[in-house]
Amino acid sequence: MYREHTRVVQIGDRKIGGGNPILIQSMTNTRTEDVEATVEQILALEAAGCEIVRCTVPTLEAAEALKEIKKRIHIPLVADIHFDYKMAIAAMENGADKIRINPGNIGSIEKIKAVVDVAKERNIPIRVGVNSGSLEKELVEKYHGVTAEGLVESALDKVKIIEDLGYDNLVISIKSSDVMMCVKAHELLAEQTNYPLHVGITEAGTLYSGNIKSAVGLGIILYQGIGDTIRVSLTGDPVEEIKSAKRILKTLNLRKGGIEVVSCPTCGRTKIDLIGLANQVETMVQEFPLDIKVAVMGCVVNGPGEAKEADIGIAGGKGEGLLIKKGEIVKKVPEAELLSVLREELANWK
Ligand code: SF4
């Protein structure tokens, strides 16, 4: 397990690396300068289970906004910086718990040093991020295109620059929207470094394709014991990223907690609106901090058997359903009441 041997990096009051739980991150898509909107989104992300949040800092006004935002949120705040080293310094001076930079677009060594000096003084971790979209020309030529090897070399070069400046409070990320290139890059990188890795599939796409790409990519990477913090990138509401990240970690048994809903695919035997019900149940169960399995099955043929495997379940009939609890049929419930009866059971779960 690589992740048990990575260094521990403290981000605000949270730790990643060294076998600590894999933390879930997201990024706001509000204007950071708009404190109200940004705080509102971060609080929604927190409620969904986000553990670290990142905001872009493209202006001094955004850097200054971090101070106010930090007072009103409860999770570590990371500043995302591109191009302008002064923004990185201003973000740290305004309380960023970590900064994310790509030293390749910060500019001269003097500018990078100025950023590293402030990080060092305040012991603020730096995430060194490289992206397949901005791989240096020399590495593209050396490896005959954008490759996993090139991405790893680029990341390790950047890390070396910062190490040579006397700082090693670092996290590394390598991003590519090519899922299998991203997988390979992480495999190569994990062999060559013990800095904690921030893992994600970048520009993964909309909810549908982004979720599939992220689940496949993160699934393969995390299953190999690689990755200390994750972000699912989706073109959509960032709260969806948190739901997906939680589901990915839970599916890989890397996180406990939360109700798992299993439901049948429906078939010609289904006589209730099972698709509608399963979707409602999936949303409803998020209210409850239980670590159990709920089955929503369409019929009495396979339904009761499957539902019995779960802690609680429903097996649909004609205009009604059986409520099954811990393997026992409890009662018949009219279809219209199935959701509320299930909610009641969860609210009183012992
Ligand atoms: S549980 Fe019943 S309704 Fe659902 S797929 Fe199986 S046979 Fe069909």
Side-chain angles (χ1 to χ4, degrees):
M1 269 302 165
Y2 295 99
R3 77 172 63 89
E4 273 153 31
H5 305 288
T6 50
R7 299 177 185 210
V8 176
V9 168
Q10 176 102 26
I11 303 161
D13 61 357
R14 305 302 302 258
K15 286 188 173 88
I16 60 164
N20 277 297
I22 298 164
L23 297 187
I24 296 174
Q25 312 204 10
S26 184
M27 185 165 180
T28 52
N29 60 9
T30 52
R31 283 179 65 250
T32 308
E33 296 85 345
D34 185 343
V35 173
E36 291 305 319
T38 304
V39 167
E40 190 184 329
Q41 189 169 65
I42 294 175
L43 295 179
L45 285 165
E46 284 182 11
C50 181
E51 292 157 320
I52 298 176
V53 70
R54 181 161 45 114
C55 298
T56 187
V57 178
T59 61
L60 275 180
E61 193 191 345
E64 279 156 18
L66 295 184
K67 191 182 265 179
E68 193 53 37
I69 292 167
K70 252 192 78 114
K71 285 185 203 154
R72 293 164 57 184
I73 65 170
H74 315 89
I75 54 176
L77 182 60
V78 182
D80 194 79
I81 313 292
H82 288 282
F83 310 117
D84 192 343
Y85 79 106
K86 290 195 201 110
M87 299 304 146
I89 293 172
M92 289 187 278
E93 287 171 348
N94 281 284
D97 295 303
K98 176 176 145 200
I99 56 166
R100 185 262 175 177
I101 58 170
N102 177 350
N105 72 25
I106 290 290
S108 67
I109 190 73
E110 289 74 27
K111 289 177 180 170
I112 298 171
K113 183 175 183 308
V115 174
V116 170
D117 284 347
V118 177
K120 208 189 293 182
E121 199 183 291
R122 295 170 180 252
N123 201 23
I124 294 171
I126 299 177
R127 165 151 75 96
V128 178
V130 299
N131 197 311
S132 60
S134 55
L135 188 63
E136 299 89 321
K137 235 171 61 198
E138 310 81 69
L139 289 171
V140 175
E141 278 164 20
K142 176 174 172 188
Y143 291 103
H144 309 293
V146 177
T147 63
E149 290 79 1
L151 283 169
V152 171
E153 187 170 329
S154 173
L156 293 177
D157 283 351
K158 308 293 181 317
V159 166
K160 175 98 179 29
I161 293 172
I162 298 179
E163 284 176 338
D164 288 347
L165 292 168
Y167 200 52
D168 63 0
N169 188 7
L170 306 177
V171 176
I172 308 179
S173 68
I174 282 189
K175 301 279 187 81
S176 168
S177 58
D178 180 321
V179 176
M180 295 319 290
M181 186 194 294
C182 202
V183 167
K184 190 172 174 196
H186 282 87
E187 291 168 351
L188 295 171
L189 185 62
E191 291 283 343
Q192 296 176 58
T193 187
N194 66 352
Y195 286 113
L197 302 183
H198 166 120
V199 184
I201 308 296
T202 196
E203 293 131 23
T206 54
L207 279 189
Y208 170 72
S209 62
N211 271 326
I212 293 174
K213 283 173 154 186
S214 295
V216 172
L218 288 172
I220 301 172
I221 294 166
L222 293 169
Y223 186 67
Q224 298 183 74
I226 301 169
D228 303 274
T229 175
I230 61 168
R231 182 202 176 187
V232 171
S233 298
L234 297 174
T235 308
D237 183 341
V239 167
E240 294 297 329
E241 299 184 348
I242 304 302
K243 289 191 208 162
S244 302
K246 280 163 74 179
R247 177 60 54 204
I248 290 169
L249 291 179
K250 191 165 167 62
T251 305
L252 290 162
N253 286 337
L254 289 169
R255 180 173 285 230
K256 296 217 177 311
I259 295 177
E260 181 181 353
V261 178
V262 295
S263 53
C264 83
T266 73
C267 73
R269 292 182 189 276
T270 320
K271 298 282 187 295
I272 60 170
D273 173 20
L274 192 85
I275 297 174
L277 181 63
N279 279 300
Q280 286 174 309
V281 169
E282 183 125 299
T283 307
M284 179 271 285
V285 298
Q286 288 171 24
E287 296 168 26
F288 301 101
L290 300 167
D291 189 6
I292 59 170
K293 191 187 268 188
V294 174
V296 185
M297 308 302 293
C299 81
V300 291
V301 175
N302 294 327
E306 297 289 341
K308 279 182 182 174
E309 301 253 304
D311 297 281
I312 187 164
I314 286 163
K318 197 169 177 189
E320 62 186 16
L322 294 175
L323 179 72
I324 300 163
K325 208 168 147 185
K326 295 182 177 160
E328 302 295 326
I329 295 176
V330 179
K331 58 181 172 182
K332 271 188 185 168
V333 179
E335 181 176 353
E337 293 169 26
L338 282 168
L339 184 70
S340 56
V341 166
L342 194 54
R343 177 186 278 126
E344 192 61 31
E345 289 288 337
L346 296 177
N348 298 301
W349 190 259
K350 288 191 191 84

